Amino acid sequence: MAECIRRVAISTGGGDAPGLNAVIRAVARTGFGYGWDIFGIPDGFDGLLGKGRVERLDQRDIRGILPQGGTILGTTNRGNPFHYPVEENGQVVYHDLSDRVLTRAAELRLDALVVIGGDGTLRIARDLARKGLRVVGVPKTIDNDLSATDVTFGFETAVNTATDAIDKLHTTAESHHRAMVLEVMGRDAGWIALASGIAGGADVILIPEIPFDIERVCRKVEDRDRRGRKFSIIVVAEGAKPAGGQSVGTRLPDGSLRLGGIGQQVADQVAAGTNNEVRLTVLGHLQRGGAPTPGDRLLASRYGVAAAHLVARGGFGRMVALRTPNIISVPLDEAVGHTRTVPLDSDLVLTARSLGIELGAE
Ligand code: F6P
């Protein structure tokens, strides 16, 4: 199969994650080894809809990018070619432009496309593969919520950033005898909150998988007060919600929910329900930026190399995945099957509970 491949493109889609450049570098280097021409698609699938220039990447383009956050190709989480927003007569209407992607790929004489993305991007890749595009997927998201792989790159760096924030909040919380609320990312899954909360020694961790009772949170803070520990650290995933309540965020014109605000809600309720002074920190996109950790560079490099070899073997419509200790491949269909949330009986949840961390419910 290897001899059929000449021209391979790489695209990065969805929210960025530290390690994207390491994947691009690994795909390109392995591809150069096969003698392929490698192309960079700008801004996700937008670059195959006639926006921006598709450039050939050479050794110079990928030099020095291994430790860089972001993506040298650019990305977007708005450009679904199957449901593409177009303004017509002052109104936004949605069109299926997927055929244009296939036409553009044919014009560029691409033999394969390596798509690096999360659930949304890989779903589009799967649907394009069904229409005949020769696609290989690479799993990415700081949220670590893709079901077919043990872990996604970018997660470890995000956990590092969040843990560092908790460490810093600890010293100021203790000095001022305050409760500090830290809102971290995690739309449907609480992996970042749970991992950084345990690593940072948080007192309360609230995750989307465990709808919380604010009374329990207040009681935990007051118990600590009574024991002379006059400060508390409360880590809240952006997707956490009270029992019987809804996720907090802003409804966007396309109907989607931009999460954010649960931290404020928790901070207000803890301030009202305890004698503590409370402060809120929203970590936001800091978790998506910065240099990838060595672990993420390594995982991203392994994924990139495996994706290029998968292209060479003709493994289209598949995604590379980590099944420790090996990198395997799975059908894209399986990869986008369901969100990998934190199992309630998982070791991480048991660890948190055994350490006395309040999770907001039994
Ligand atoms: O998917 C990762 C993620 O970081 C989510 O946790 C978060 O809700 C979302 O991206 C925010 O994306 P953006 O602000 O770029 O639209």
Side-chain angles (χ1 to χ4, degrees):
M1 200 75 189
E3 63 278 8
C4 310
I5 307 290
R6 292 275 176 275
R7 295 162 68 89
V8 176
I10 309 170
S11 125
T12 52
D16 64 348
L20 280 168
N21 285 326
V23 181
I24 294 166
R25 171 179 178 272
V27 173
R29 277 193 166 204
T30 311
F32 295 151
Y34 277 113
W36 302 340
D37 287 338
I38 303 291
F39 297 86
I41 308 290
D43 298 336
F45 294 108
D46 274 5
L48 287 172
L49 288 170
K51 294 191 175 177
R53 270 173 63 85
V54 175
E55 304 275 3
R56 196 173 143 206
L57 301 178
D58 64 25
Q59 292 281 5
R60 266 170 317 182
D61 296 307
I62 58 162
R63 208 166 278 160
I65 67 171
L66 177 62
Q68 279 175 20
T71 160
I72 58 166
L73 300 178
T75 187
T76 172
N77 46 16
R78 297 262 164 272
N80 179 354
F82 289 91
H83 191 65
Y84 202 83
V86 182
E87 207 174 308
E88 280 177 11
N89 306 321
Q91 283 216 317
V92 177
V93 290
Y94 293 88
H95 288 299
D96 180 354
L97 303 182
S98 55
D99 283 340
R100 271 200 216 168
V101 172
L102 272 84
T103 306
R104 186 70 188 126
E107 282 168 6
L108 291 163
R109 292 181 289 116
L110 297 182
D111 298 310
L113 175 67
V114 176
V115 175
I116 313 165
D119 187 62
T121 304
L122 293 172
R123 213 173 274 269
I124 296 166
R126 189 257 332 253
D127 293 343
L128 289 169
R130 282 181 179 164
K131 294 188 80 156
L133 198 66
R134 308 213 299 179
V135 182
V136 159
V138 178
K140 163 245 60 160
T141 161
I142 65 161
D143 288 0
N144 196 30
D145 59 2
L146 289 178
S147 61
T149 189
D150 288 355
V151 67
T152 51
F153 70 85
F155 171 65
E156 188 183 273
T157 308
V159 171
N160 248 24
T161 302
T163 306
D164 183 47
I166 296 170
D167 289 347
K168 287 174 174 153
L169 288 175
H170 253 110
T171 56
T172 174
E174 190 159 9
S175 306
H176 284 267
H177 320 297
R178 284 172 172 159
M180 296 300 224
V181 176
L182 177 69
E183 183 180 301
V184 299
M185 283 186 170
R187 169 167 280 275
D188 304 302
W191 295 108
I192 296 176
L194 202 50
S196 65
I198 294 172
D203 306 296
V204 178
I205 304 174
L206 304 177
I207 60 175
E209 294 85 345
I210 306 179
F212 64 87
D213 173 1
I214 196 71
E215 287 303 318
R216 292 179 64 108
V217 178
C218 293
R219 240 182 289 141
K220 174 75 182 179
V221 171
E222 290 197 312
D223 279 356
R224 284 177 55 76
D225 265 359
R226 265 194 294 279
R227 285 188 288 114
R229 306 295 285 151
K230 295 193 174 299
F231 70 95
S232 293
I233 303 289
I234 303 169
V235 179
V236 186
E238 62 181 355
K241 44 189 165 304
Q246 299 292 322
S247 301
V248 181
T250 310
R251 193 58 66 188
L252 300 180
D254 66 0
S256 63
L257 187 65
R258 179 178 295 153
L259 292 177
I262 188 63
Q264 183 68 63
Q265 197 168 297
V266 168
D268 290 345
Q269 290 175 334
V270 171
T274 68
N275 285 322
N276 263 157
E277 224 189 319
V278 184
R279 292 290 187 270
L280 166 71
T281 302
V282 179
L283 204 49
H285 293 78
L286 288 174
Q287 292 157 97
R288 294 234 301 251
T293 58
D296 275 339
R297 294 180 203 187
L298 184 59
L299 182 59
S301 299
R302 292 172 73 197
Y303 279 156
V305 166
H309 289 318
L310 192 58
V311 167
R313 291 198 304 273
F316 303 117
R318 301 182 71 81
M319 181 191 85
V320 295
L322 177 69
R323 291 287 157 79
T324 308
N326 300 313
I327 303 286
I328 58 154
S329 77
V330 295
L332 276 169
D333 240 338
E334 202 180 296
V336 298
H338 74 278
T339 308
R340 196 172 72 95
T341 52
V342 177
L344 298 186
D345 59 353
S346 64
D347 169 69
L348 222 45
V349 170
L350 289 175
T351 300
R353 290 197 194 280
S354 300
L355 288 169
I357 298 171
E358 175 59 57
L359 297 181
E362 280 297 335

